[in-house]
Amino acid sequence: MSDLPHENDQPDPLDPFEEIIEAETDRDPDLAVIEAGSRTLRTQGGAPGADVPARPEDPEVDKALREVEAELATRWGETKLEPSVSRISALMDVLGDPQRSYPSIHITGTNGKTSTARMIECLLGAFELRTGRYTSPHVQSITERISLDGAPVSAERFIETYQDIKPYIEMVDSAQEYRLSFFEVLTGMAYAAFADAPVDVAVVEVGMGGSWDATNVIDGDVAVVTPIGLDHTDRLGETTGEIAGEKAGVIKQGATVILAQQPVDAAQVLLKKAVEVDATVAREGLEFGVVARQVAVGGQMLTLRGLGGEYPEVYLPLHGAHQAHNAAVALAAVEAFFGVGAQRAEPLDIDTVRKAFAAVSSPGRLEVVRRSPTVVLDAAHNPAGAEAAAEAVREAFDFTRLIGVVGASGDKNVRGLLEAFEPIFAEVVVTQNSSHRAMDADELAAIAVEVFGDERVQVEPRLPDALEAAITLAEEEGEFAGGGVLVTGSVITVGEARLLLGKG
C-alpha cells in the first residue's frame, strides 16, 4: 500500500483520478461463515447528491408547505405504530398501485441505511438511470425524504404531490379503524411521485423493521440488509435475531439479498428467510467486501470486491470504516440490480463507479460544518452508531481536545451511546432539541455524570447555548492546538445544529 496522502501533496496533473480526488476533497464533508442452504451470488467465470434544502424563498410557497406540514403533524407520529400494512395497502389500491410501476431496491437494517441509499442512488444515476429515493428521518427539511434524480423534490412538487393524493388519503381514512399515519402518508406520496416522474428505479429505506413497515408494499428486486443491532427493542425484539425476524420481511420471492456483516443469530434468521422464498444471497466478507482502505484527505481510498471482481482506487468522500462497508454493500446492490453475477459476468464500468462514489454526500454523517475550531455533526443515536462514529473520529481527525454536544431522544439507550463516546470526549455539553421526544437535559446530565464524572459534564438546555459553550471550550486549546466539537445523539439535534451553524 502507498503512503497516506497529505494535504500538501501535489497530485500528478496527468492523472485524472487524482484530479477527481482534489476536486472532491476541497469541499466540506457529509460473518461468520454460515451456510443455510441458500444459493449465493458470485460472478460466473450520477450527479453529485444535492445538499439539504432550505426553506422556500417564496413566502407563498413557504406558507403552503407549512400548511402541509401542519396537516401531516395532526397524524400519528413516527413513534406511534400499529403493526399492519392494511392502511398503506388500501391507499396504494385506490391510487392504482403506483409502487408497481418501477423496479425497486429495498433497504433495511439498524445503522447505515440512509448513507447506503445515497450511495446506491449515486451509482444508479451515474449509469444514467432516473432514480427516486425515499429515506427517513430528514435532517432539516421534510422534502429531503423524497428525492428525484439525486436531489430532494422542490417544495412546490412536494405540495402538489400531497394535494394530488389528499382526496384518496381522506377516502382511506374514512374506511379504516385508524387514520393513515404521518409516515404512511409520506410513503404514499413518495410512491406516487416516483410513478409520476416516472423513475427507472426506486431506492427505498424502511422506516422501522420491515415486515409491517409502510414501505413494505413494494416487492424489491434487490433487498439490502445493513448491519443489525439493538435499537427499537420495545417494538422489534430484545435480540438481534428477533429484530432480524422483523427486518427479513423485505426479502421477497425470488429477490436478490445483499447482506452486510451481521451478528450470527441475525444472519441465521435472514438466510433462513432467503431459503424459504428462494432468494439469492450475497454476503459481505464472502461474495463481496472491502479489500483495502486508506485514510485520504476528506475521506478514504478503497479497493472493493464486488460480485463481478475488484474495483481498485475508489475514492469515497466520507469518513470511517463503517462507510467503507456501506460502500461495498451499495456496490453489490447495484451490481445485483444490473444482473452482475447472474445474467452477466463482467463487472460494472470502473470509471463510472469511481465517478459515482466520488460524488457521494451524506449530510449529518461526520459532516464538517465549521473550521477553527472544527465542528463535526454526526447523527449517531444508538450505541452501535456511536461506536462507529467514535472510531471514525479517531481515524480521520487529529483532535487534541474534543468536546461533545449531546442531545438524545428519551426512548434510546442513552447510557450506551454516552459510554461509546466517553473515550474520545474531553468534556461533554448535554442539551436537548426541540422534539417532544427529546430527553430532558437534566435527566441526560445525570446519566452523563455517571459516565464521565461531574467535572467533565456541562448542562445547557438550549442548543444554541450548548454549541456556544462547546466551541468556547474547544477554543481554550488555542487556534492551532487541535480542539474540536462533535454534535451528536439524534438526527433532530444534528439538523437543528446544522441550521444554527449556517448550513441550509
Side-chain angles (χ1 to χ4, degrees):
M1 298 179 76
S2 60
D3 293 334
L4 301 185
H6 300 281
E7 291 197 34
N8 59 355
D9 288 348
Q10 296 299 314
D12 182 351
L14 300 178
D15 188 342
F17 184 60
E18 292 294 338
E19 293 176 7
I20 292 174
I21 296 173
E22 184 179 28
E24 289 300 325
T25 55
D26 281 342
R27 69 182 184 189
D28 282 349
D30 172 294
L31 182 66
V33 176
I34 297 177
E35 296 296 345
S38 59
R39 293 180 289 122
T40 58
L41 181 62
R42 63 190 67 187
T43 186
Q44 308 297 317
D51 205 355
V52 176
R55 297 296 308 185
E57 294 185 4
D58 186 326
E60 291 302 314
V61 175
D62 188 51
K63 179 183 177 183
L65 180 58
R66 291 184 188 278
E67 288 173 353
V68 172
E69 290 171 323
E71 289 187 24
L72 289 171
T74 66
R75 297 179 175 275
W76 277 0
E78 290 173 279
T79 59
K80 186 172 182 179
L81 304 167
E82 194 268 326
S84 166
V85 293
S86 60
R87 291 178 302 280
I88 187 67
S89 296
L91 180 60
M92 293 297 98
D93 185 52
V94 297
L95 289 175
D97 285 324
Q99 81 283 11
R100 305 207 183 283
S101 64
Y102 40 79
S104 56
I105 297 175
H106 204 178
I107 307 168
T108 190
T110 301
N111 291 306
K113 296 188 296 296
T114 297
S115 293
T116 303
R118 294 176 73 98
M119 293 178 194
I120 291 172
E121 174 188 53
C122 268
L123 282 163
L124 292 169
F127 284 99
E128 301 184 350
L129 292 183
R130 186 163 204 206
T131 58
R133 172 171 55 84
Y134 181 53
T135 53
S136 61
H138 56 274
V139 177
Q140 288 175 200
S141 171
I142 195 171
T143 60
E144 296 166 39
R145 295 181 180 230
I146 305 173
S147 290
L148 293 172
D149 296 323
V153 295
S154 66
E156 292 88 344
R157 188 159 194 164
F158 187 90
I159 296 162
E160 181 184 1
T161 301
Y162 176 74
Q163 296 297 344
D164 283 347
I165 73 170
K166 184 177 178 179
Y168 301 97
I169 293 169
E170 293 171 345
M171 186 186 308
V172 173
D173 283 344
S174 65
Q176 296 289 321
E177 182 180 1
Y178 305 108
R179 292 200 309 156
L180 287 154
S181 70
F182 170 88
F183 187 73
E184 287 169 334
V185 172
L186 281 173
T187 302
M189 289 173 60
Y191 290 163
F194 297 162
D196 183 62
V199 301
D200 297 315
V201 54
V203 182
V204 178
E205 174 189 337
V206 304
M208 186 186 299
S211 297
W212 41 260
D213 186 74
T215 63
N216 203 31
V217 288
I218 58 171
D219 292 327
D221 301 75
V222 178
V224 176
V225 188
T226 66
I228 292 175
L230 296 178
D231 200 7
H232 303 295
T233 54
D234 56 329
R235 298 180 176 90
L236 302 180
E238 296 292 334
T239 68
T240 51
E242 291 176 351
I243 293 171
E246 287 296 332
K247 295 183 183 294
V250 305
I251 302 174
K252 304 298 174 62
Q253 186 72 36
T256 301
V257 187
I258 306 299
L259 294 184
Q261 292 179 343
Q262 304 290 348
V264 173
D265 61 344
Q268 289 172 328
V269 172
L270 295 165
L271 291 169
K272 182 174 183 292
K273 177 60 181 288
V275 172
E276 291 171 354
V277 298
D278 197 30
T280 303
V281 177
R283 301 154 294 178
E284 184 182 5
L286 294 175
E287 285 72 46
F288 69 93
V290 179
V291 175
R293 55 183 294 269
Q294 282 184 293
V295 177
V297 177
Q300 53 193 309
M301 187 73 74
L302 309 175
T303 296
L304 302 175
R305 178 163 58 86
L307 305 176
E310 284 199 2
Y311 297 78
E313 295 187 315
V314 175
Y315 174 70
L316 179 69
L318 300 175
H319 299 293
H322 61 296
Q323 294 290 15
H325 290 287
N326 290 340
V329 170
L331 176 61
V334 174
E335 286 183 305
F337 182 80
F338 284 122
V340 176
Q343 289 86 28
R344 52 181 282 190
E346 67 275 12
L348 301 177
D349 178 72
I350 182 61
D351 290 331
T352 305
V353 169
R354 287 172 176 161
K355 178 182 176 182
F357 275 119
V360 168
S361 67
S362 194
R365 277 73 180 178
L366 288 177
E367 178 187 19
V368 177
V369 293
R370 172 182 164 153
R371 303 284 185 181
S372 299
T374 298
V375 179
V376 184
L377 308 179
D378 192 84
H381 57 273
N382 56 44
E387 288 168 7
E391 183 57 38
V393 167
R394 289 191 192 96
E395 177 184 82
F397 299 91
D398 293 324
F399 293 125
T400 57
R401 176 179 168 85
L402 180 62
I403 310 301
V405 174
V406 179
S409 296
D411 59 347
K412 298 297 182 180
N413 181 355
V414 174
R415 180 181 296 276
L417 181 140
L418 292 172
E419 288 174 345
F421 283 123
E422 189 276 334
I424 68 169
F425 287 166
E427 297 183 53
V428 61
V429 181
V430 298
T431 188
Q432 62 191 74
N433 57 56
S434 64
S435 168
H436 68 279
R437 295 172 55 201
M439 176 175 282
D440 178 79
D442 289 331
E443 183 182 350
L444 178 55
I447 301 173
V449 166
E450 294 176 4
V451 175
F452 289 85
D454 187 63
E455 293 81 10
R456 295 169 64 193
V457 178
Q458 182 171 330
V459 186
E460 294 290 350
R462 296 181 65 252
L463 182 57
D465 296 337
L467 292 171
E468 184 177 351
I471 289 169
T472 300
L473 287 168
E475 287 175 337
E476 289 179 357
E477 290 287 283
E479 185 178 356
F480 304 106
V485 175
L486 175 63
V487 184
T488 189
S490 164
V491 175
I492 298 169
T493 301
V494 163
E496 292 180 356
R498 204 172 186 276
L499 278 172
L500 290 166
L501 292 165
K503 299 287 285 186

